[in-house]
Amino acid sequence: MSAASPNSLFGMGNPLLDISAVVDKDFLDKYTLKPNDQILAEDKHKALFEELVKKFKVEYHAGGATQNSIKIAQWMIQDPHNVGTFFGCIGKDKFGEILKQKAKEAHINAQYYEQEEEPTGTCAACITGDNRSLVANLAAANCYKKDKHLDLEENWELVEKAKVYYIAGFFLTVSLESILKVAKHASENNKLFCLNLSAPFICQFFKDNLMQVMPYVDVLFGNETEAAAFAKEQDFETKDIKEIAKKAQALPKVNTKRQRIVVLTQGKDDTVMALSDKIETFPVLKIDPKDIVDTNGAGDAFVGGFLSELVQEKALDQCVKAAHYAANVIIRRAGCTFPDKPDFN
């Protein structure tokens, strides 16, 4: 049994059903997609989802960045079940039922807000080589309401039980007030609040929301492209990843009992971690490029591995080790899926 107790890890975000397929460059060009990106679907992408299913061999996987990370953390921990709690909004439909079933199979306590106005959200994962271009149609995920779900007594009790909180930056487009309520609770009770930059567009177009939450962030995650976009928007005047980590670490913080930790990944290059007094780098696990099946979910898996150790109060270098292990497992498989048991200690 792990040192983690049920409901000690809390996540809130966009529960999406991933529709993934290996596509060709023509398909990316037709919908003006970059090979490696995450965007929200616009009108011009409506036909993309239908064409993807018609033209290519698709696989359906339960997704959504935060939910993926909570599942991976739970998989790394194994016992007890329901260490991870997840909140998000789905529709009352077939895809919603699949998400509920998959959450149950992953042994996480998913408490969805279910509504009938919008269908369950989907995310097209368009894979070319070891790149993946994600197009999210949030639909129901965009309908999460603080007053209709988070504020309910039985739900807020689950929030209060947690010690570590994780929200992907993607949720900043949905319910800033929900994020702030959870972030302030963590800060006031000296618990750990973790956030992911998630995508360049979050750093660019949701900068104000992001910076309202930043003072409450104890652990900030991001990859090299997100870090570059964040640095540019914040006028850090540097492209050096270590400098960016250092400057993000030094941004104002409400709970001064804890120093912020910034963790930036760079694909196959070293992971960079900034603490108050130093910068550390950690090499990732080597992998033969031909063993890489799908990099979709690698970042989510990294965070999941990290959180699995953080919630058990392990040392930070052990958190990074677990993060690298989880990401290395996930990129060998299609979607954010994993074998029965981890082989990590």
Side-chain angles (χ1 to χ4, degrees):
M1 289 281 272
S2 83
S5 52
N7 307 114
S8 54
L9 174 62
F10 175 85
M12 180 166 61
N14 301 331
L16 304 173
L17 191 74
D18 285 349
I19 305 171
S20 64
V22 174
V23 302
D24 49 34
K25 189 177 179 303
D26 291 346
F27 185 81
L28 295 182
D29 292 344
K30 180 176 178 179
Y31 293 103
T32 57
L33 301 177
K34 293 176 189 161
N36 209 22
D37 202 9
Q38 309 96 312
I39 61 167
L40 292 178
E42 296 168 40
D43 283 345
K44 65 178 178 186
H45 300 115
K46 284 283 189 282
L48 177 152
F49 289 84
E50 284 159 36
E51 188 178 336
L52 190 68
V53 173
K54 272 203 191 97
K55 212 166 158 186
F56 302 95
K57 185 177 168 295
V58 299
E59 290 191 9
Y60 293 92
H61 297 288
T66 306
Q67 183 169 243
N68 281 345
S69 294
I70 298 298
K71 283 182 181 171
I72 298 273
Q74 180 66 54
W75 169 71
M76 289 285 287
I77 289 165
Q78 290 283 312
D79 286 309
H81 290 172
N82 296 326
V83 166
T85 307
F86 176 78
F87 287 4
C89 183
I90 60 175
K92 293 187 174 174
D93 51 26
K94 187 181 88 195
F95 284 176
E97 288 304 315
I98 293 173
L99 287 185
K100 287 201 280 197
Q101 185 54 37
K102 293 290 179 192
K104 202 183 264 162
E105 286 168 14
H107 306 303
I108 63 167
N109 183 358
Q111 297 295 330
Y112 297 118
Y113 168 48
E114 297 180 48
Q115 50 71 61
E116 292 179 60
E117 279 84 77
E118 288 280 343
T120 296
T122 49
C123 178
C126 310
I127 298 157
T128 51
D130 59 4
N131 288 319
R132 51 94 185 105
S133 196
L134 306 178
V135 184
N137 178 24
L138 296 184
N142 207 24
C143 301
Y144 189 83
K145 300 278 185 288
K146 174 177 165 289
D147 57 337
K148 294 259 172 62
H149 193 261
L150 186 68
D151 291 344
L152 302 184
E153 198 178 333
E154 65 273 24
N155 291 333
W156 188 249
E157 276 174 11
L158 288 171
V159 176
E160 290 179 323
K161 279 176 87 169
K163 293 189 302 198
V164 175
Y165 300 85
Y166 173 66
I167 298 176
F170 292 123
F171 202 57
L172 287 162
T173 75
V174 174
S175 183
L176 177 63
E177 53 175 5
S178 296
I179 300 176
L180 285 170
K181 183 175 181 179
V182 171
K184 285 173 180 171
H185 167 79
S187 183
E188 284 159 11
N189 293 279
N190 197 27
K191 300 179 186 178
L192 282 161
F193 182 79
C194 314
L195 185 80
N196 202 319
L197 294 174
S198 289
F201 84 84
I202 298 289
C203 305
Q204 291 156 341
F205 308 117
F206 293 88
K207 178 163 72 174
D208 294 348
N209 288 8
L210 176 61
M211 295 322 284
Q212 279 190 59
V213 178
M214 195 59 73
Y216 301 100
V217 176
D218 296 297
V219 185
L220 180 68
F221 296 103
N223 67 20
E224 73 277 37
T225 45
E226 295 149 14
F230 183 67
K232 191 169 171 233
E233 291 298 326
Q234 299 299 318
D235 300 322
F236 282 175
E237 293 178 347
T238 180
K239 288 182 175 165
D240 180 283
I241 192 127
K242 291 182 182 172
E243 282 302 306
I244 295 170
K246 218 183 205 158
K247 292 194 173 203
Q249 194 282 328
L251 289 167
K253 193 166 182 301
V254 173
N255 178 12
T256 50
K257 290 186 196 135
R258 292 183 187 275
Q259 293 289 335
R260 180 179 295 118
I261 300 156
V262 177
V263 187
L264 300 176
T265 60
Q266 317 182 72
K268 63 183 186 308
D269 296 325
D270 290 4
T271 293
V272 173
M273 180 160 70
L275 303 147
S276 57
D277 52 346
K278 61 181 175 192
I279 298 267
E280 292 188 48
T281 57
F282 301 86
V284 303
L285 295 167
K286 292 272 178 286
I287 184 168
D288 187 324
K290 68 174 191 297
D291 291 332
I292 298 174
V293 173
D294 176 3
T295 56
N296 180 23
D300 300 338
F302 177 93
V303 172
F306 195 99
L307 295 172
S308 72
E309 301 295 294
L310 193 65
V311 78
Q312 298 180 73
E313 299 174 14
K314 300 277 177 67
L316 290 172
D317 58 346
Q318 181 71 2
C319 294
V320 175
K321 198 177 152 195
H324 284 162
Y325 168 78
N328 186 274
V329 169
I330 266 53
I331 57 178
R332 297 168 189 270
R333 305 167 67 91
C336 196
T337 60
F338 33 83
D340 279 349
K341 290 220 168 20
D343 176 21
F344 176 81
N345 48 38

